């Protein structure tokens, strides 16, 4: 099989390629750029799983970055076991066709316990005293130590949160080239998250994101130069584009005002009690999965959501079939925002009763995705001093909470997830071989396969 690398430049869309990305502009001009019709939902885990299985969410089961676990009665986001993807992966098919085939999976999601030969993914250490320490998980296990000895500790706090920056993306790129030099995998999948940060914070505002565009352009140039020297087939792609937003929808607050949400009080704050709620939402960028513990409230929920400004689609299980999303994990109702809107996870009605984790970067405890985690509270003039004090406590070994995240959803200026966005915000595919002007997300599998077997 032909050596192939797939470089996932997260959030790259055609409208971003230009003067601020000189390498990409020149590279694309000599190749073929194809729009990928976004899968619903157009989010990381669903898009990636569709690409590497060639199946729709109804078949592979990844209906979003998180969903409601009906057995545990818990909303779970950002799980990592590859066994959650309920379809064969492209590297499994390749191994059957060629026993010498190997695959390196560098930070693509669901990267634990997969059948890929080499893999690395973020995995913090959670100490008994509550400290969260940067780290990563790798297979084979010794690869983790090799990479962190070579490139330093994986910069977890540059991967997500207010301090997200190019360091994490550069670490991933450097690690990918190291693994390639040492093991020469047939297929390499590389995840470059850098544009996700600035675009969700600012939207496609070139006056604010030009620096980040230049930074990712240089990383891509380094990778392309490296793999061209290895005579590899190179595929550039993205999972979604990010379009501007100016409206947020507090879907759980809407359901709570309808008397459908249950909460329990611990200390001074409220926790969403999903198992006891008649209806609740797991929000995920521009889509929300609404689950009904009480089927009799279905008509009530549909009526109030259809009347909510900013909502584009309200899909029951039968209507989800049109979008290949009607899996057991999907909501009884799936709600899609209009292109200028997105869904918060907020469920409390009084910020004084917000849970303590609402002010933290805490992706596992929140019952939905929270892009506000990329900001430190701009209304607090002493917030950086507060963060410095908390960091000092950490370095001295004291317990601390880095509670610097605001509760202001108006800060977010970019989002994704909907399929009803202008074509300029579609994800893209760049290859040496011509494609049609637009392909379905499931067709990306065939594109990768043809590069492998050419």
């Amino acid at each position: 099989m032909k050596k192939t690398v797939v470089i996932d430049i997260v959030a790259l869309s055609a409208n971003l390629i230009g003067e601020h990305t000189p390498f990409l502009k020149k590279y694309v001009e000599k190749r073929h750029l194809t729009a990928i019709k976004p899968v619903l939902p157009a989010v990381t885990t669903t898009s990636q799983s569709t690409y590497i299985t060639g199946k729709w969410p109804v078949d592979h089961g990844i209906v979003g970055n998180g969903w409601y676990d009906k057995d545990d009665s818990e909303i779970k986001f950002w799980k990592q076991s590859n066994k959650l993807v309920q379809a064969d992966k492209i590297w499994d098919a390749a191994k059957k066709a060629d026993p010498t085939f190997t695959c390196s999976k560098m930070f693509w999601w669901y990267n634990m316990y997969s059948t890929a030969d080499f893999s690395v993914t973020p995995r913090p250490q959670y100490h008994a005293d509550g400290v969260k320490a940067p780290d990563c998980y790798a297979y084979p296990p010794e690869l983790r130590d090799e990479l962190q000895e070579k490139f330093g500790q994986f910069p977890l706090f540059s991967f997500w949160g207010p301090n997200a920056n190019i360091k994490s993306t550069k670490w991933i790129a450097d690690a990918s080239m190291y693994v390639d030099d040492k093991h020469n995998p047939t297929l390499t999948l590389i995840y470059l998250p850098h544009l996700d940060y600035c675009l969700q914070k600012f939207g496609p505002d070139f006056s604010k994101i030009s620096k980040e565009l230049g930074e990712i352009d240089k990383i891509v140039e380094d990778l392309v130069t490296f793999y061209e020297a290895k005579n590899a087939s190179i595929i550039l792609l993205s999972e979604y584009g990010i379009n501007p937003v100016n409206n947020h929808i507090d879907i759980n607050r809407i359901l709570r005002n309808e008397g459908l949400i249950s909460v329990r009080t611990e200390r001074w704050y409220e926790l969403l009690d999903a198992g006891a709620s008649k209806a609740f939402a797991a929000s995920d960028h521009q889509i929300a999965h609404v689950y009904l513990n009480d089927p009799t409230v279905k008509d009530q929920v549909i009526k109030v959501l259809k009347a909510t400004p900013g909502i584009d689609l309200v899909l029951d299980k039968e209507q989800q079939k049109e979008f290949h999303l009607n899996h057991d994990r999907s909501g009884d109702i799936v709600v899609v925002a209009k292109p200028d809107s997105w869904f918060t996870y907020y469920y409390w009605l009084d910020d004084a009763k917000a849970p303590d984790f609402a002010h933290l970067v805490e992706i596992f405890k929140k019952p939905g995705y929270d892009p506000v985690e990329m900001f430190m509270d701009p209304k607090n003039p002493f917030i950086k001093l507060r963060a410095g004090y908390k960091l000092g406590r950490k370095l001295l070994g004291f317990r601390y909470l880095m509670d610097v995240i605001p509760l202001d959803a108006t800060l977010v200026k970019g989002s994704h997830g909907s399929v009803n966005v202008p074509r300029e915000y579609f994800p893209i595919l760049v290859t040496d071989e011509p494609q049609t002007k637009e392909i379905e997300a499931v067709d990306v599998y065939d594109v990768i396969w043809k590069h492998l077997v050419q």
Side-chain angles (χ1 to χ4, degrees):
M1 284 191 166
K2 171 71 172 174
K3 184 177 178 66
T4 300
V5 57
V6 182
I7 303 174
D8 178 1
I9 310 166
V10 178
L12 184 67
S13 49
N15 63 302
L16 300 177
I17 300 174
E19 62 176 304
H20 303 296
T21 57
F23 173 78
L24 276 169
K25 184 175 183 293
K26 184 177 180 181
Y27 185 81
V28 168
E29 285 173 350
K30 298 180 180 178
R31 287 159 181 85
H32 302 276
L33 186 150
T34 300
I36 303 172
K37 188 176 179 181
V39 63
L40 185 70
V43 297
T44 292
T45 60
T46 304
S47 297
Q48 288 186 7
S49 297
T50 301
Y51 293 167
I52 55 92
T53 65
K55 304 292 184 183
W56 295 107
V58 66
D59 298 311
H60 61 61
I62 305 304
V63 300
N65 294 321
W67 55 83
Y68 180 57
D69 186 318
K70 297 172 184 176
D71 294 324
D72 277 346
S73 296
E74 293 179 357
I75 299 170
K76 297 179 178 179
F77 268 72
W78 302 110
K79 310 307 289 182
Q80 298 208 56
S81 171
N82 194 256
K83 293 177 174 60
L84 291 168
V85 186
Q86 300 170 339
D88 291 338
K89 291 81 180 178
I90 194 167
W91 56 84
D92 293 320
K95 287 181 180 182
K96 290 178 183 177
D98 179 0
T100 68
F101 172 93
T102 56
C103 177
S104 171
K105 194 161 174 261
M106 303 300 293
F107 285 76
W108 278 51
W109 210 252
Y110 299 116
N111 212 0
M112 293 177 66
Y113 320 122
S114 81
T115 50
D117 300 274
F118 313 100
S119 59
V120 191
T121 196
R123 191 67 172 177
Q125 297 177 15
Y126 292 94
H127 298 174
D129 61 359
V131 169
K132 179 169 67 175
D135 206 345
C136 59
Y137 179 96
Y139 181 84
E142 59 271 17
L143 180 59
R144 165 186 170 270
D145 299 328
E146 288 180 39
L147 292 174
Q148 295 197 125
E149 182 179 349
K150 178 75 173 177
F151 303 111
Q153 189 176 57
F154 174 66
L156 180 74
F157 302 126
S158 296
F159 186 77
W160 182 248
N163 194 43
N165 58 54
I166 195 65
K167 292 179 182 178
S168 59
T169 292
K170 184 173 182 352
W171 197 99
I172 294 168
D174 289 342
S176 300
M177 292 185 282
Y178 174 90
V179 171
D180 196 272
D181 275 337
K182 183 170 183 178
H183 298 289
N184 192 29
T186 318
L187 173 64
T188 297
L189 304 169
I190 304 173
Y191 175 79
L192 303 179
H194 186 55
L195 289 183
D196 221 14
Y197 317 139
C198 63
L199 283 166
Q200 289 190 62
K201 289 174 75 171
F202 306 119
D205 182 344
F206 290 104
S207 69
K208 296 180 178 178
I209 66 171
S210 59
K211 175 177 177 288
E212 285 81 1
L213 286 169
E215 289 172 335
I216 196 67
D217 191 63
K218 181 62 171 65
I219 296 290
V220 175
E221 180 179 11
D222 291 345
L223 285 169
V224 168
T225 302
F226 174 85
Y227 282 100
E228 282 182 338
K230 298 286 188 87
N231 195 33
S233 291
I234 299 171
I235 299 171
L236 307 183
L237 55 72
S238 56
E239 306 156 1
Y240 47 78
I242 291 182
N243 56 277
V245 294
N246 54 35
N247 178 55
H248 63 276
I249 304 166
D250 299 329
I251 187 168
N252 276 316
R253 287 173 172 165
I254 293 169
L255 296 175
R256 185 169 179 179
N257 285 328
E258 289 289 311
L260 303 173
I261 293 279
S262 292
V263 299
R264 68 178 190 271
T265 301
E266 294 187 1
R267 296 194 287 170
W268 71 89
Y269 55 77
E270 295 177 337
L271 295 176
L272 174 66
D273 196 344
S277 297
K278 293 181 179 180
F280 62 90
S283 55
D284 193 358
H285 299 83
Q286 289 184 312
I287 77 138
H289 290 277
V290 179
Y291 297 90
L292 306 176
N293 288 319
D294 181 353
T296 67
V297 304
K298 179 179 177 181
D299 290 344
Q300 177 188 358
V301 171
I302 290 175
K303 181 179 179 181
V304 70
L305 293 179
K306 283 187 173 181
T308 299
I311 288 180
D312 189 17
L313 300 172
V314 180
L315 309 170
D316 63 17
K317 280 289 190 180
E318 183 64 27
Q319 293 165 323
Q320 291 171 37
K321 291 180 180 179
E322 178 184 348
F323 300 93
H324 316 286
L325 190 57
N326 53 310
H327 189 274
D328 182 61
R329 291 170 177 165
S330 69
D332 299 287
I333 302 166
V334 169
V335 190
V336 183
K338 291 182 177 179
D340 65 351
S341 301
W342 64 280
F343 296 105
T344 74
Y345 78 96
Y346 302 159
Y347 56 85
W348 57 90
L349 303 179
D350 178 354
D351 281 353
K353 295 182 179 180
D356 55 357
F357 57 71
H359 292 282
L360 307 175
V361 175
E362 188 53 86
I363 64 173
F364 300 121
K365 289 184 178 179
K366 294 178 180 179
Y369 172 72
D370 184 16
V372 186
E373 287 186 347
M374 289 182 293
F375 297 88
M376 285 197 289
D377 191 347
K379 295 179 181 178
N380 184 345
F382 305 107
I383 196 65
K384 291 186 178 180
L385 290 175
R386 181 181 179 85
Y389 167 71
K390 300 284 185 173
L391 180 60
R393 288 185 63 85
K394 174 186 176 181
L395 295 175
L396 291 171
F398 293 107
R399 292 176 67 90
Y400 72 100
L401 284 178
M402 192 63 75
D403 50 350
V404 298
I405 306 302
L407 302 178
D408 183 3
T410 65
L411 293 169
V412 176
K413 300 302 181 186
S415 192
H416 60 92
S418 172
V419 294
N420 294 333
V421 294
R423 198 169 183 273
E424 64 184 298
Y425 301 117
F426 276 20
I428 61 172
L429 175 80
V430 180
T431 61
D432 288 330
E433 300 296 325
Q435 313 292 330
T436 58
K437 289 186 177 181
E438 182 178 306
I439 63 173
E440 297 280 0
V442 290
D443 296 331
V444 172
Y445 179 101
D446 293 330
V447 173
I448 299 173
W449 185 261
K450 287 177 183 176
H451 279 72
L452 286 170
V453 300
Q454 65 180 337

